[in-house]
Amino acid sequence: MAAQREWFEKDYYKVLGVPDTADAKAITRAYRKLARQLHPDANPGDPRAEERFKEVSAAYDVLGDVDKRKEYDEVRKLGPMAGAFGGGGGPGGFSFRYENPDIGDIGDLLGGLFGRFRRPGGGRAGPGPSTSGPRRGQDLEAELHLSFEDAVRGVTTSVNLTSEAVCDVCHGSGAAPGSTPVTCPDCGGRGALDEDQGLFSFSRPCPTCAGRGALVEEPCPNCRGAGIVQRPREVRVRIPAGVDEGSRIRVKGRGTPGRNGGPPGDLYVVTRVEPHPLFGRKGSNLTITVPVTFPEAALGADISVPTLEGDPVTIRIAEGTKSGRTFRVKGRGIPKRGGGAGDLLVTVEVVVPQRLSPEERKAIEDLAAASAESPRTHLGV
Ligand SMILES: [Zn+2]
Ligand SMILES: [Zn+2]
């Protein structure tokens, strides 16, 4: 993991609207809320929402990852450093400017910093990968609505989203069908030019090929040579058994495409689970409320209880069972990730008849007459 130049410029905490002391849960919560609000599917054609969505995704890419966040926090501690980078970098450009020629201390600091953050094996003296080098695509998030049963059992389905994707006409090369991009003669395909400035040598994006390393002589008509288009796509996802409302499933490599040969981002599928008419959920336990009659509760009974798989189970209600008591049917709940399953929790509820036949009324009146003591004597009334 290498520090990104953006880290010096962006306050990711501010982007997500959380304090820098926020814990991982609070960060994820803030991110999800913003991602939902700003998602391109929810704001078609709104470039500002799209820009914000990208910012928020980039912020979460760092703050949502324990290791990256630690490095980012370290970089932030060197706050005043950010000034040394000057402005005007802009996307695709990297300008490194000294505001102060007397830079002994900053130089030491930079040396230490970049020494630590340099990519393993990377020979470049610049601060991590410059924007002209390969860039990883962005992570995306998409919601998936699932039935209660599919969430419990797992399902293979597809998610539809509109996002940047590799152009399906030129397959990302940017060259019109029948033509091929040629290696950039100025940078020899590297996409960057080295500039020696004494203390360091810096890379800047090759102006001839705009950092891509190749020149397209006849641009693809579909993407105008970008190799990437905004288009609807369908991504197959396998949802494991036992997911819950708000579970996040990572689909590797199905985010937006990388630039200049960088790897694609990931797609995160967030599940929205429909409620079930009979069953509820508590972690890996299934819950159900089952009505019982007063005689069943008072005298005891074997009662039949539905399960999610379909075949009912019989549970024994003991004599004198109170309304609201919960019985546990082991292993008939929701599959757990490490194997096994939770339990089915059956809560009995004594129902009071709303309408009585003459025989029932007579029987209940006899019961009332036979009840020796009021249940309220202990209340002193
Ligand atoms: Zn194309
Ligand atoms: Zn070039």
Side-chain angles (χ1 to χ4, degrees), residues 270-309:
V270 179
T271 54
R272 299 279 165 242
V273 181
E274 279 165 37
H276 193 277
L278 297 181
F279 295 99
R281 247 179 110 150
K282 258 188 198 164
S284 61
N285 293 330
L286 268 184
T287 61
I288 187 169
T289 298
V290 174
V292 295
T293 64
F294 177 74
E296 283 171 336
L299 305 174
D302 287 340
I303 62 165
S304 199
V305 176
T307 63
L308 198 59
E309 301 90 70

mmCIF file of all heavy atoms in Angstrom, residues 270-309:
data_model
loop_
_atom_site.group_PDB
_atom_site.id
_atom_site.type_symbol
_atom_site.label_atom_id
_atom_site.label_comp_id
_atom_site.label_asym_id
_atom_site.label_seq_id
_atom_site.Cartn_x
_atom_site.Cartn_y
_atom_site.Cartn_z
ATOM 1 N N VAL A 270 -24.887 -4.347 -1.440
ATOM 2 C CA VAL A 270 -25.493 -4.202 -0.114
ATOM 3 C C VAL A 270 -26.899 -4.770 -0.173
ATOM 4 O O VAL A 270 -27.691 -4.396 -1.037
ATOM 5 C CB VAL A 270 -25.536 -2.714 0.299
ATOM 6 C CG1 VAL A 270 -26.184 -2.557 1.656
ATOM 7 C CG2 VAL A 270 -24.127 -2.136 0.308
ATOM 8 N N THR A 271 -27.195 -5.707 0.716
ATOM 9 C CA THR A 271 -28.469 -6.409 0.625
ATOM 10 C C THR A 271 -29.582 -5.692 1.387
ATOM 11 O O THR A 271 -29.364 -5.175 2.476
ATOM 12 C CB THR A 271 -28.340 -7.846 1.185
ATOM 13 O OG1 THR A 271 -27.806 -7.772 2.501
ATOM 14 C CG2 THR A 271 -27.417 -8.674 0.327
ATOM 15 N N ARG A 272 -30.726 -5.645 0.737
ATOM 16 C CA ARG A 272 -31.951 -5.153 1.382
ATOM 17 C C ARG A 272 -32.896 -6.345 1.414
ATOM 18 O O ARG A 272 -33.224 -6.893 0.354
ATOM 19 C CB ARG A 272 -32.567 -4.024 0.562
ATOM 20 C CG ARG A 272 -31.657 -2.825 0.416
ATOM 21 C CD ARG A 272 -31.720 -1.934 1.646
ATOM 22 N NE ARG A 272 -30.627 -0.995 1.681
ATOM 23 C CZ ARG A 272 -29.689 -0.946 2.629
ATOM 24 N NH1 ARG A 272 -29.711 -1.789 3.633
ATOM 25 N NH2 ARG A 272 -28.744 -0.056 2.592
ATOM 26 N N VAL A 273 -33.279 -6.756 2.607
ATOM 27 C CA VAL A 273 -34.050 -7.990 2.752
ATOM 28 C C VAL A 273 -35.507 -7.671 3.083
ATOM 29 O O VAL A 273 -35.791 -6.929 4.017
ATOM 30 C CB VAL A 273 -33.424 -8.880 3.851
ATOM 31 C CG1 VAL A 273 -34.205 -10.178 3.982
ATOM 32 C CG2 VAL A 273 -31.959 -9.172 3.519
ATOM 33 N N GLU A 274 -36.409 -8.242 2.273
ATOM 34 C CA GLU A 274 -37.836 -8.040 2.525
ATOM 35 C C GLU A 274 -38.255 -8.788 3.787
ATOM 36 O O GLU A 274 -37.775 -9.877 4.042
ATOM 37 C CB GLU A 274 -38.654 -8.624 1.357
ATOM 38 C CG GLU A 274 -38.743 -7.724 0.165
ATOM 39 C CD GLU A 274 -39.238 -8.492 -1.050
ATOM 40 O OE1 GLU A 274 -40.109 -9.374 -0.886
ATOM 41 O OE2 GLU A 274 -38.720 -8.224 -2.150
ATOM 42 N N PRO A 275 -39.185 -8.205 4.529
ATOM 43 C CA PRO A 275 -39.663 -8.929 5.714
ATOM 44 C C PRO A 275 -40.499 -10.140 5.305
ATOM 45 O O PRO A 275 -41.032 -10.192 4.199
ATOM 46 C CB PRO A 275 -40.518 -7.897 6.456
ATOM 47 C CG PRO A 275 -40.770 -6.789 5.501
ATOM 48 C CD PRO A 275 -39.797 -6.878 4.365
ATOM 49 N N HIS A 276 -40.588 -11.115 6.187
ATOM 50 C CA HIS A 276 -41.383 -12.321 5.946
ATOM 51 C C HIS A 276 -42.717 -12.166 6.672
ATOM 52 O O HIS A 276 -42.748 -11.581 7.747
ATOM 53 C CB HIS A 276 -40.625 -13.538 6.488
ATOM 54 C CG HIS A 276 -41.198 -14.839 6.032
ATOM 55 N ND1 HIS A 276 -42.282 -15.425 6.658
ATOM 56 C CD2 HIS A 276 -40.856 -15.663 5.013
ATOM 57 C CE1 HIS A 276 -42.566 -16.558 6.036
ATOM 58 N NE2 HIS A 276 -41.726 -16.731 5.036
ATOM 59 N N PRO A 277 -43.819 -12.667 6.058
ATOM 60 C CA PRO A 277 -45.111 -12.499 6.744
ATOM 61 C C PRO A 277 -45.190 -13.257 8.072
ATOM 62 O O PRO A 277 -45.954 -12.861 8.949
ATOM 63 C CB PRO A 277 -46.128 -13.036 5.736
ATOM 64 C CG PRO A 277 -45.341 -13.809 4.727
ATOM 65 C CD PRO A 277 -43.952 -13.248 4.721
ATOM 66 N N LEU A 278 -44.440 -14.349 8.223
ATOM 67 C CA LEU A 278 -44.539 -15.138 9.457
ATOM 68 C C LEU A 278 -43.299 -15.030 10.333
ATOM 69 O O LEU A 278 -43.395 -14.930 11.542
ATOM 70 C CB LEU A 278 -44.742 -16.626 9.134
ATOM 71 C CG LEU A 278 -46.003 -17.043 8.387
ATOM 72 C CD1 LEU A 278 -46.001 -18.554 8.193
ATOM 73 C CD2 LEU A 278 -47.241 -16.599 9.162
ATOM 74 N N PHE A 279 -42.135 -15.060 9.692
ATOM 75 C CA PHE A 279 -40.910 -15.187 10.467
ATOM 76 C C PHE A 279 -40.193 -13.857 10.626
ATOM 77 O O PHE A 279 -40.262 -12.984 9.758
ATOM 78 C CB PHE A 279 -39.946 -16.168 9.788
ATOM 79 C CG PHE A 279 -40.477 -17.565 9.741
ATOM 80 C CD1 PHE A 279 -41.067 -18.060 8.593
ATOM 81 C CD2 PHE A 279 -40.399 -18.387 10.865
ATOM 82 C CE1 PHE A 279 -41.572 -19.343 8.549
ATOM 83 C CE2 PHE A 279 -40.900 -19.677 10.834
ATOM 84 C CZ PHE A 279 -41.489 -20.155 9.668
ATOM 85 N N GLY A 280 -39.507 -13.741 11.736
ATOM 86 C CA GLY A 280 -38.607 -12.623 11.955
ATOM 87 C C GLY A 280 -37.202 -13.174 12.142
ATOM 88 O O GLY A 280 -36.982 -14.385 12.044
ATOM 89 N N ARG A 281 -36.264 -12.303 12.401
ATOM 90 C CA ARG A 281 -34.871 -12.715 12.514
ATOM 91 C C ARG A 281 -34.199 -12.030 13.668
ATOM 92 O O ARG A 281 -34.388 -10.836 13.874
ATOM 93 C CB ARG A 281 -34.144 -12.254 11.269
ATOM 94 C CG ARG A 281 -33.686 -13.344 10.422
ATOM 95 C CD ARG A 281 -33.012 -12.769 9.237
ATOM 96 N NE ARG A 281 -31.601 -13.055 9.370
ATOM 97 C CZ ARG A 281 -30.787 -13.230 8.350
ATOM 98 N NH1 ARG A 281 -31.238 -13.096 7.142
ATOM 99 N NH2 ARG A 281 -29.526 -13.513 8.547
ATOM 100 N N LYS A 282 -33.415 -12.796 14.396
ATOM 101 C CA LYS A 282 -32.563 -12.213 15.441
ATOM 102 C C LYS A 282 -31.203 -12.847 15.238
ATOM 103 O O LYS A 282 -30.977 -13.963 15.683
ATOM 104 C CB LYS A 282 -33.093 -12.595 16.832
ATOM 105 C CG LYS A 282 -33.859 -11.478 17.511
ATOM 106 C CD LYS A 282 -34.174 -11.868 18.939
ATOM 107 C CE LYS A 282 -35.279 -10.995 19.494
ATOM 108 N NZ LYS A 282 -35.858 -11.577 20.716
ATOM 109 N N GLY A 283 -30.318 -12.158 14.543
ATOM 110 C CA GLY A 283 -29.016 -12.762 14.225
ATOM 111 C C GLY A 283 -29.251 -14.002 13.398
ATOM 112 O O GLY A 283 -29.913 -13.962 12.366
ATOM 113 N N SER A 284 -28.744 -15.145 13.867
ATOM 114 C CA SER A 284 -28.942 -16.375 13.098
ATOM 115 C C SER A 284 -30.148 -17.165 13.597
ATOM 116 O O SER A 284 -30.371 -18.283 13.153
ATOM 117 C CB SER A 284 -27.677 -17.236 13.149
ATOM 118 O OG SER A 284 -27.408 -17.578 14.478
ATOM 119 N N ASN A 285 -30.916 -16.589 14.507
ATOM 120 C CA ASN A 285 -32.144 -17.260 14.954
ATOM 121 C C ASN A 285 -33.341 -16.742 14.176
ATOM 122 O O ASN A 285 -33.423 -15.560 13.871
ATOM 123 C CB ASN A 285 -32.381 -17.025 16.445
ATOM 124 C CG ASN A 285 -31.322 -17.700 17.302
ATOM 125 O OD1 ASN A 285 -30.765 -18.731 16.917
ATOM 126 N ND2 ASN A 285 -31.029 -17.133 18.449
ATOM 127 N N LEU A 286 -34.244 -17.676 13.871
ATOM 128 C CA LEU A 286 -35.524 -17.297 13.272
ATOM 129 C C LEU A 286 -36.519 -17.144 14.416
ATOM 130 O O LEU A 286 -36.464 -17.893 15.381
ATOM 131 C CB LEU A 286 -36.024 -18.430 12.385
ATOM 132 C CG LEU A 286 -35.707 -18.479 10.913
ATOM 133 C CD1 LEU A 286 -36.431 -19.683 10.312
ATOM 134 C CD2 LEU A 286 -36.124 -17.208 10.215
ATOM 135 N N THR A 287 -37.425 -16.192 14.297
ATOM 136 C CA THR A 287 -38.429 -16.047 15.349
ATOM 137 C C THR A 287 -39.820 -16.192 14.737
ATOM 138 O O THR A 287 -40.032 -15.864 13.561
ATOM 139 C CB THR A 287 -38.333 -14.666 16.027
ATOM 140 O OG1 THR A 287 -38.564 -13.652 15.042
ATOM 141 C CG2 THR A 287 -36.957 -14.439 16.646
ATOM 142 N N ILE A 288 -40.739 -16.705 15.523
ATOM 143 C CA ILE A 288 -42.136 -16.768 15.088
ATOM 144 C C ILE A 288 -43.034 -16.695 16.327
ATOM 145 O O ILE A 288 -42.650 -17.189 17.390
ATOM 146 C CB ILE A 288 -42.425 -18.056 14.268
ATOM 147 C CG1 ILE A 288 -43.852 -17.995 13.684
ATOM 148 C CG2 ILE A 288 -42.223 -19.316 15.106
ATOM 149 C CD1 ILE A 288 -44.158 -19.066 12.651
ATOM 150 N N THR A 289 -44.163 -16.032 16.177
ATOM 151 C CA THR A 289 -45.139 -15.985 17.268
ATOM 152 C C THR A 289 -46.305 -16.882 16.880
ATOM 153 O O THR A 289 -46.831 -16.791 15.767
ATOM 154 C CB THR A 289 -45.622 -14.541 17.495
ATOM 155 O OG1 THR A 289 -44.492 -13.763 17.872
ATOM 156 C CG2 THR A 289 -46.668 -14.473 18.595
ATOM 157 N N VAL A 290 -46.679 -17.792 17.807
ATOM 158 C CA VAL A 290 -47.710 -18.785 17.508
ATOM 159 C C VAL A 290 -48.856 -18.623 18.505
ATOM 160 O O VAL A 290 -48.638 -18.646 19.715
ATOM 161 C CB VAL A 290 -47.110 -20.209 17.618
ATOM 162 C CG1 VAL A 290 -48.184 -21.263 17.467
ATOM 163 C CG2 VAL A 290 -46.027 -20.400 16.579
ATOM 164 N N PRO A 291 -50.090 -18.433 17.991
ATOM 165 C CA PRO A 291 -51.208 -18.324 18.929
ATOM 166 C C PRO A 291 -51.570 -19.684 19.532
ATOM 167 O O PRO A 291 -51.524 -20.699 18.827
ATOM 168 C CB PRO A 291 -52.347 -17.791 18.054
ATOM 169 C CG PRO A 291 -51.926 -18.020 16.644
ATOM 170 C CD PRO A 291 -50.473 -18.306 16.590
ATOM 171 N N VAL A 292 -51.903 -19.684 20.806
ATOM 172 C CA VAL A 292 -52.417 -20.909 21.446
ATOM 173 C C VAL A 292 -53.699 -20.529 22.199
ATOM 174 O O VAL A 292 -53.869 -19.374 22.591
ATOM 175 C CB VAL A 292 -51.403 -21.560 22.426
ATOM 176 C CG1 VAL A 292 -50.166 -22.058 21.692
ATOM 177 C CG2 VAL A 292 -50.999 -20.597 23.542
ATOM 178 N N THR A 293 -54.560 -21.515 22.388
ATOM 179 C CA THR A 293 -55.810 -21.237 23.121
ATOM 180 C C THR A 293 -55.522 -21.289 24.618
ATOM 181 O O THR A 293 -54.500 -21.830 25.058
ATOM 182 C CB THR A 293 -56.892 -22.288 22.793
ATOM 183 O OG1 THR A 293 -56.426 -23.561 23.259
ATOM 184 C CG2 THR A 293 -57.159 -22.344 21.287
ATOM 185 N N PHE A 294 -56.457 -20.747 25.399
ATOM 186 C CA PHE A 294 -56.297 -20.800 26.852
ATOM 187 C C PHE A 294 -56.244 -22.248 27.337
ATOM 188 O O PHE A 294 -55.357 -22.592 28.126
ATOM 189 C CB PHE A 294 -57.423 -20.014 27.536
ATOM 190 C CG PHE A 294 -57.357 -20.096 29.028
ATOM 191 C CD1 PHE A 294 -56.383 -19.390 29.737
ATOM 192 C CD2 PHE A 294 -58.237 -20.905 29.730
ATOM 193 C CE1 PHE A 294 -56.303 -19.487 31.113
ATOM 194 C CE2 PHE A 294 -58.159 -21.009 31.111
ATOM 195 C CZ PHE A 294 -57.186 -20.298 31.805
ATOM 196 N N PRO A 295 -57.147 -23.131 26.857
ATOM 197 C CA PRO A 295 -57.034 -24.537 27.310
ATOM 198 C C PRO A 295 -55.675 -25.161 26.977
ATOM 199 O O PRO A 295 -55.111 -25.888 27.787
ATOM 200 C CB PRO A 295 -58.166 -25.245 26.557
ATOM 201 C CG PRO A 295 -59.149 -24.166 26.267
ATOM 202 C CD PRO A 295 -58.349 -22.914 26.046
ATOM 203 N N GLU A 296 -55.122 -24.864 25.768
ATOM 204 C CA GLU A 296 -53.801 -25.437 25.410
ATOM 205 C C GLU A 296 -52.741 -24.961 26.390
ATOM 206 O O GLU A 296 -51.894 -25.728 26.837
ATOM 207 C CB GLU A 296 -53.408 -25.023 23.985
ATOM 208 C CG GLU A 296 -54.146 -25.815 22.912
ATOM 209 C CD GLU A 296 -53.943 -25.270 21.493
ATOM 210 O OE1 GLU A 296 -53.625 -24.063 21.335
ATOM 211 O OE2 GLU A 296 -54.111 -26.047 20.538
ATOM 212 N N ALA A 297 -52.784 -23.647 26.727
ATOM 213 C CA ALA A 297 -51.786 -23.094 27.634
ATOM 214 C C ALA A 297 -51.990 -23.628 29.052
ATOM 215 O O ALA A 297 -51.031 -23.929 29.761
ATOM 216 C CB ALA A 297 -51.850 -21.572 27.625
ATOM 217 N N ALA A 298 -53.242 -23.759 29.469
ATOM 218 C CA ALA A 298 -53.531 -24.166 30.843
ATOM 219 C C ALA A 298 -53.303 -25.663 31.045
ATOM 220 O O ALA A 298 -52.766 -26.086 32.066
ATOM 221 C CB ALA A 298 -54.972 -23.802 31.195
ATOM 222 N N LEU A 299 -53.703 -26.467 30.047
ATOM 223 C CA LEU A 299 -53.642 -27.920 30.220
ATOM 224 C C LEU A 299 -52.398 -28.544 29.603
ATOM 225 O O LEU A 299 -52.076 -29.691 29.871
ATOM 226 C CB LEU A 299 -54.885 -28.564 29.584
ATOM 227 C CG LEU A 299 -56.248 -28.038 30.067
ATOM 228 C CD1 LEU A 299 -57.379 -28.662 29.263
ATOM 229 C CD2 LEU A 299 -56.428 -28.342 31.562
ATOM 230 N N GLY A 300 -51.689 -27.783 28.744
ATOM 231 C CA GLY A 300 -50.558 -28.351 28.008
ATOM 232 C C GLY A 300 -51.042 -28.948 26.708
ATOM 233 O O GLY A 300 -52.195 -29.352 26.600
ATOM 234 N N ALA A 301 -50.192 -28.960 25.691
ATOM 235 C CA ALA A 301 -50.603 -29.493 24.390
ATOM 236 C C ALA A 301 -49.377 -29.688 23.507
ATOM 237 O O ALA A 301 -48.317 -29.126 23.773
ATOM 238 C CB ALA A 301 -51.560 -28.514 23.703
ATOM 239 N N ASP A 302 -49.518 -30.508 22.478
ATOM 240 C CA ASP A 302 -48.507 -30.575 21.427
ATOM 241 C C ASP A 302 -49.012 -29.691 20.296
ATOM 242 O O ASP A 302 -50.109 -29.931 19.775
ATOM 243 C CB ASP A 302 -48.350 -32.013 20.921
ATOM 244 C CG ASP A 302 -47.629 -32.880 21.943
ATOM 245 O OD1 ASP A 302 -46.946 -32.304 22.811
ATOM 246 O OD2 ASP A 302 -47.768 -34.110 21.890
ATOM 247 N N ILE A 303 -48.229 -28.702 19.915
ATOM 248 C CA ILE A 303 -48.704 -27.834 18.840
ATOM 249 C C ILE A 303 -47.752 -27.878 17.653
ATOM 250 O O ILE A 303 -46.547 -28.108 17.794
ATOM 251 C CB ILE A 303 -48.924 -26.371 19.294
ATOM 252 C CG1 ILE A 303 -47.619 -25.745 19.768
ATOM 253 C CG2 ILE A 303 -49.996 -26.267 20.355
ATOM 254 C CD1 ILE A 303 -47.692 -24.243 19.879
ATOM 255 N N SER A 304 -48.322 -27.653 16.486
ATOM 256 C CA SER A 304 -47.575 -27.719 15.235
ATOM 257 C C SER A 304 -47.094 -26.308 14.876
ATOM 258 O O SER A 304 -47.865 -25.363 14.940
ATOM 259 C CB SER A 304 -48.529 -28.251 14.165
ATOM 260 O OG SER A 304 -47.792 -28.741 13.088
ATOM 261 N N VAL A 305 -45.824 -26.206 14.516
ATOM 262 C CA VAL A 305 -45.236 -24.888 14.230
ATOM 263 C C VAL A 305 -44.601 -24.924 12.841
ATOM 264 O O VAL A 305 -43.854 -25.854 12.528
ATOM 265 C CB VAL A 305 -44.148 -24.550 15.284
ATOM 266 C CG1 VAL A 305 -43.455 -23.248 14.953
ATOM 267 C CG2 VAL A 305 -44.755 -24.504 16.675
ATOM 268 N N PRO A 306 -44.882 -23.939 11.974
ATOM 269 C CA PRO A 306 -44.260 -23.952 10.645
ATOM 270 C C PRO A 306 -42.754 -23.647 10.724
ATOM 271 O O PRO A 306 -42.304 -22.996 11.661
ATOM 272 C CB PRO A 306 -44.993 -22.829 9.898
ATOM 273 C CG PRO A 306 -45.515 -21.932 10.958
ATOM 274 C CD PRO A 306 -45.748 -22.768 12.181
ATOM 275 N N THR A 307 -42.011 -24.164 9.766
ATOM 276 C CA THR A 307 -40.596 -23.808 9.663
ATOM 277 C C THR A 307 -40.383 -23.163 8.296
ATOM 278 O O THR A 307 -41.241 -23.262 7.424
ATOM 279 C CB THR A 307 -39.680 -25.041 9.766
ATOM 280 O OG1 THR A 307 -39.961 -25.892 8.664
ATOM 281 C CG2 THR A 307 -39.890 -25.783 11.073
ATOM 282 N N LEU A 308 -39.223 -22.541 8.123
ATOM 283 C CA LEU A 308 -38.955 -21.866 6.858
ATOM 284 C C LEU A 308 -38.796 -22.889 5.722
ATOM 285 O O LEU A 308 -39.109 -22.610 4.575
ATOM 286 C CB LEU A 308 -37.694 -21.007 6.978
ATOM 287 C CG LEU A 308 -37.521 -19.939 5.915
ATOM 288 C CD1 LEU A 308 -38.685 -18.965 5.923
ATOM 289 C CD2 LEU A 308 -36.221 -19.189 6.127
ATOM 290 N N GLU A 309 -38.331 -24.103 6.073
ATOM 291 C CA GLU A 309 -38.128 -25.123 5.031
ATOM 292 C C GLU A 309 -39.452 -25.720 4.584
ATOM 293 O O GLU A 309 -39.510 -26.405 3.568
ATOM 294 C CB GLU A 309 -37.230 -26.258 5.522
ATOM 295 C CG GLU A 309 -35.853 -25.851 5.982
ATOM 296 C CD GLU A 309 -35.834 -25.513 7.457
ATOM 297 O OE1 GLU A 309 -35.980 -26.419 8.290
ATOM 298 O OE2 GLU A 309 -35.692 -24.329 7.792
#
